[in-house]
Amino acid sequence: MTKYPAVFLDRDGTLIDDVGYIRHTSEVSFYPFTSEALLMLQEHFLLFVITNQSGIAKGLTTEKEVSEVNKYILNTLKKQDIIIHDLFCCPHKNEDNCECKKPKTQFIEKAATKYDIDLTRSFIIGDHPSDVQCGINAGITPLYLLTGHGRKHKGEISNETIIYTNLLEASKYIINKNKQT
Ligand SMILES: [Mg+2]
Ligand SMILES: [Zn+2]
């Protein structure tokens, strides 16, 4: 059986503007290049979103608010024929010591089993060092973005990390790379 490669996408600072803990759909602002990038990627990859939403554990947002926002994001993308196969959301804060908060890999492992994913050909894209570390921990290629918190934390990632200005540039890299294999 053929296994599918996947791209795991961070949410805030990757697909949409990072404006802090989002409670309402009115605060969601997609980057102008998000749709183009995802349409390109989904031709060759299964798409997933993995998001850390510690605002829930901190009492700054509720599970319901975050879930409404997530639904809205998936629906908005769906209207543009973009299919996100699954969205995984960690509601915990660091002190909770959960198994799902990036850079931990539980969600990637879950997706890999459920959707028959070939991790050796998969990628993770995000704007935080924890996204990069999550990719390393899971054995998939991480791409670091300079949108969102990317510029601020750039000094914290290792020299060999692949860096792109935004999701569209990272997606072009992935598509090219995929053609070569
Ligand atoms: Mg982010
Ligand atoms: Zn968690």
Side-chain angles (χ1 to χ4, degrees):
M1 271 296 287
T2 321
K3 284 190 162 196
Y4 304 99
V7 176
F8 297 93
L9 302 145
D10 172 49
R11 195 192 84 176
D12 303 338
T14 298
L15 303 178
I16 63 173
D17 257 331
D18 192 328
V19 293
Y21 299 110
I22 296 182
R23 302 180 63 182
H24 302 286
T25 57
S26 61
E27 298 166 88
V28 174
S29 167
F30 282 91
Y31 290 121
F33 44 76
T34 295
S35 303
E36 187 186 348
L38 298 184
L39 283 167
M40 196 189 291
L41 288 175
Q42 75 173 8
E43 296 274 318
H44 304 276
F45 296 87
L46 299 184
L47 303 183
F48 298 90
V49 173
I50 301 181
T51 178
N52 287 350
Q53 294 296 330
S54 62
I56 298 172
K58 294 170 187 163
L60 301 169
T61 52
T62 66
E63 197 118 39
K64 188 165 179 288
E65 285 166 347
V66 171
S67 142
E68 288 299 320
V69 167
N70 288 338
K71 261 188 244 160
Y72 169 78
I73 289 171
L74 296 191
N75 282 336
T76 305
L77 293 173
K78 204 173 173 189
K79 282 182 198 152
Q80 300 164 79
D81 297 318
I82 295 161
I83 305 301
I84 304 293
H85 286 268
D86 224 327
L87 179 148
F88 301 95
C89 177
C90 166
H92 307 110
K93 56 183 191 299
N94 287 342
E95 301 74 56
D96 295 336
N97 253 318
C98 69
E99 288 306 317
C100 51
K101 191 173 196 281
K102 292 178 288 187
K104 291 201 179 159
T105 57
Q106 190 185 68
F107 289 144
I108 291 181
E109 283 147 23
K110 264 192 189 171
T113 308
K114 188 169 172 192
Y115 297 92
D116 204 19
I117 291 166
D118 179 356
L119 291 179
T120 65
R121 291 189 293 143
S122 297
F123 296 84
I124 184 168
I125 309 179
D127 68 311
H128 196 273
S130 64
D131 297 310
V132 172
Q133 193 54 49
C134 180
I136 294 168
N137 293 345
I140 69 177
T141 306
L143 296 184
Y144 187 73
L145 306 181
L146 297 180
T147 44
H149 288 202
R151 259 173 229 288
K152 190 169 66 188
H153 293 289
K154 198 177 164 215
E156 299 165 34
I157 55 167
S158 69
N159 283 334
E160 62 268 25
T161 310
I162 306 165
I163 303 175
Y164 280 97
T165 47
N166 61 44
L167 177 65
L168 183 57
E169 297 309 315
S171 302
K172 286 178 187 166
Y173 167 85
I174 289 177
I175 294 301
N176 273 322
K177 187 96 182 155
N178 193 53
K179 273 185 200 150
Q180 291 160 21
T181 51

